[in-house]
Amino acid sequence: MTGDAAPLSVPLAERLRPRSFAEVVGQEEIVGSDGLVPRLLAGGRPPSLILWGPPGCGKTTVARLIAEQLGLPPVAISAVTAGVKDIKQIVEAARDTIRVGGEPTLLFVDEIHRFNKAQQDAFLGPLEDGTLVLLGATTENPSFELNSALLSRCRVAPFRELARADLGLLLLRALGDQERGLAATGLDVSEAARERLLDMADGDARSLLTDLECLALGSTPETPRSVDEPDLQALLARRTPRFDRAGDEHFNTISALHKSLRGSDPQAGLYWLARMLEGGEDPLYIARRLVRFAAEDVGLADPQALTIAVAARDAVHFIGLPEGALALAELVVYLATAPKSDRIYRAYGAAVDEVRRSGSLPVPLEVRNAPTRLMSELGYGSGYENPHASEDGLNVPFLPEQLRGTRFYEPGALGFEREIRKRIEYYDKRRRPQP
């Protein structure tokens, strides 16, 4: 974890890694003059930090710069390959350093979320007694992936995805740097190609520099290569949007799809659907969520929505991808444009709350079945009239006595619920008031 100049055989992204906080693009809230890191470093006591953000946003770079500024003996591991045994060895070596009057050891753990929550406990004691200063990098939400005891001993530094302007500055730096960049290759990238490269980077500096380095292969000052927008088609064809089927981005994206449909925006709904499918999401997971949406957010404003949702799920299960994507797209547009009502969702919730509040109230005798003589003698079914045979059948007390007159569901004024309201009012008028 040093800032020494890297040889040209090292990948471009590593060669251009910032050597000071001033060279870091973006992340002003983290490394700017009033940012989190300078304020913590000015406090005197080395801080333990969880660096949280998307790929290629500068987490490892900032960790290296912190290590250099603190002047502590650094150790770097990855949670992909390391285990508790490795942590214990590092802790023992760090304690030996402390015993001879040395400084705490700075431990950088990449992909720290890969450690399970029991393994994370190995850090607690060394952080508590000052043996270690921890810098953990993660692309996953620490609230979900790290245990509360570890989080209580660290500060979380949330990194944002790099903005287009940040990436544009990095692109110009790479093309113009003679020592560490590509200026010596003579590579010429047209304005249109630069714009497309920024599109393809998807907020990821490492991805941008890797693409740029690929384009520079074979370019020399004697035979410089010129890159225009059409030259990027091969790179673009291999690109998939950033998406994690199990992580924070997974939940963010399905939430965006759900809320777009709730807001009746079919354009946004189609976009988020495409993002998830192109990112490798299980289409049946999406279908299940859309079936839930049909019942929860459309409800009885359009009862056909649930039928269409189940049909789309069956279609995806039957034909798979890519053809099944069209069934999901059709469903997304239908749900987005359908009238919305969460009255059923709220009504069922109210019924559940009542059950939990009042417990197991007895079933009225009138609506109990009486298949035996004993049960008839006990009054089971007494007073029941079949509504098919008698008008009085509507006046049977169907709810427990304590709940008679309670209303859980009140239909809204949109879509088919207008018709349901008429039906409820019709039957209410035919019933005699319950005693």
Side-chain angles (χ1 to χ4, degrees), residues 346-357:
R346 286 190 281 160
Y348 180 70
V352 169
D353 289 343
E354 181 58 50
V355 168
R356 292 172 179 171
R357 185 189 66 80

Side-chain angles (χ1 to χ4, degrees), residues 366-384:
E366 291 88 341
V367 292
R368 298 187 189 189
N369 198 23
T372 69
R373 178 184 298 177
L374 173 62
M375 297 170 78
S376 296
E377 291 173 352
L378 291 174
Y380 284 33
S382 176
Y384 175 72

